[in-house]
Amino acid sequence: MSVCIDLRGVRCTLAGRTVLDIERLVVGEGERIALVGHNGAGKSTLLRVLSGFTRPTAGQVSVLGARLDTPLPPARLRALRCEAGQVLQGLHLVPRLSALENVLIGSLGRVTGWRSWVRRYPAHECERAHAALAQVGMQGKASMRTDGLSGGERQKVAIARLLVQAPRLILADEPTAALDPAAAQEICRVLGTATAGATLVSVVHNTALLPLLAERVIGLQQGRIVFDLPQAQLDDVQLAALYGGPSIPVRQRVDEHFKRRQHRWLHTDASAGRSPCR
């Protein structure tokens, strides 16, 4: 199996405090990894290191063959970001644009120059975007503004954007954070099916979703890896040691934490405008 991610002696410090300290981590291409642990355990910091948005204080970071612990030339960094897609908690959709135009943003690594400035996409990219929306069950809402969609529908638009981008590596920071449990399970299934073949690294708080998102689970505590196990071998004893507090069953307690983190999305009233396809 080819190596997708290789971390050696990686440490990140913030205001004199170590927030990430990983001696070694190797992820093969096509693996599905879940990161679990308390808030502040270093999960999101690790994703930022893997995306190149945070440079470690020490150590070596290799992602898709590129070293991220040293500055990359702008052209190489752009190429890497085309190959590494992200699903963030805020989704980073443009509320005033249609679902189709948001999905087409995934093609900007290939669509350059004046077309990217004025949002005029080639016909083949528009066909690709329509196909991606159909794959996630959103073909009937391509022209709707994303601020008029439900939380689950917006997540599907973000996943369709990933399909158009076609990255080799996907970094997902709590991809179901704003959803109720039923919608979260549906999104996990859609994400798993839509990204088959890519390497997937997800931050997961609702441990009931682990079988849908991961084959391998990494537990982080105070920035360090405390376990790295196949998902099928993970049990509540290990999760209890990670999260602490045995009075409530671990999966129930984490599910309650997940529900508390649900939030409302901001909406705008700007017009979506004309068709992006030419």
Side-chain angles (χ1 to χ4, degrees):
M1 180 185 295
S2 299
V3 174
C4 178
I5 295 167
D6 190 349
L7 275 61
R8 300 168 184 256
V10 170
R11 187 171 68 256
C12 294
T13 58
L14 180 64
R17 183 173 66 91
T18 299
V19 295
L20 194 67
D21 187 0
I22 295 179
E23 186 61 32
R24 189 73 195 277
L25 174 62
V26 177
V27 177
E29 288 202 16
E31 280 199 88
R32 292 175 177 265
I33 310 293
L35 306 176
V36 297
H38 276 299
N39 289 336
K43 305 180 300 297
S44 295
T45 300
L46 177 54
L47 286 193
R48 289 195 297 271
V49 168
L50 297 178
S51 65
F53 285 103
T54 294
R55 191 174 302 157
T57 308
Q60 297 181 7
V61 178
S62 177
V63 175
L64 296 173
R67 286 283 298 273
L68 296 183
D69 49 282
T70 57
L72 283 178
R76 181 67 186 94
L77 183 59
R78 177 183 173 87
L80 177 64
R81 295 233 168 107
C82 289
E83 294 183 305
Q86 298 186 73
V87 180
L88 304 176
Q89 291 184 39
L91 298 183
H92 292 260
L93 300 178
V94 182
R96 65 183 179 84
L97 297 184
S98 68
L100 178 63
E101 282 200 86
N102 273 280
V103 171
L104 281 163
I105 289 172
S107 71
L108 289 179
R110 301 180 296 272
V111 178
T112 58
W114 69 270
R115 284 188 175 276
S116 65
W117 303 336
V118 299
R119 306 201 317 267
R120 286 291 191 270
Y121 298 91
H124 69 276
E125 294 291 359
C126 290
E127 291 172 4
R128 190 172 186 169
H130 279 291
L133 284 169
Q135 190 169 340
V136 300
M138 290 288 290
Q139 63 269 37
K141 299 190 176 182
S143 62
M144 286 189 62
R145 285 170 36 142
T146 53
D147 59 4
L149 301 176
S150 70
E153 289 170 337
R154 285 192 288 270
Q155 285 283 15
K156 290 180 180 180
V157 171
I159 293 170
R161 182 180 59 194
L162 271 181
L163 285 172
V164 168
Q165 181 182 349
R168 293 165 57 194
L169 169 64
I170 297 165
L171 306 172
D173 193 355
E174 294 188 63
T176 61
L179 306 178
D180 62 64
Q185 290 188 16
E186 181 188 7
I187 289 301
C188 287
R189 293 189 186 97
V190 170
L191 181 62
T193 301
T195 60
T199 305
L200 176 63
V201 180
S202 305
V203 170
V204 179
H205 276 294
N206 182 2
T207 58
L209 300 176
L210 288 174
L212 298 175
L213 285 171
E215 301 160 346
R216 175 180 166 194
V217 182
I218 295 173
L220 288 171
Q221 192 173 71
Q222 296 181 345
R224 295 179 174 87
I225 295 176
V226 294
F227 63 72
D228 184 347
L229 297 167
Q231 188 277 138
Q233 294 181 17
L234 184 65
D235 58 31
D236 276 355
V237 174
Q238 291 149 328
L239 287 170
L242 181 67
Y243 286 99
S247 58
I248 303 175
V250 172
R251 293 184 187 271
Q252 176 187 338
R253 178 156 32 85
V254 178
D255 288 350
E256 290 174 355
H257 165 81
F258 165 77
K259 292 175 184 178
R260 288 197 298 270
R261 293 197 54 149
Q262 291 181 345
H263 61 276
R264 293 181 179 272
W265 297 97
L266 298 175
H267 297 80
T268 66
D269 60 357
S271 173
R274 47 60 185 161
S275 170
C277 298
R278 289 292 184 274

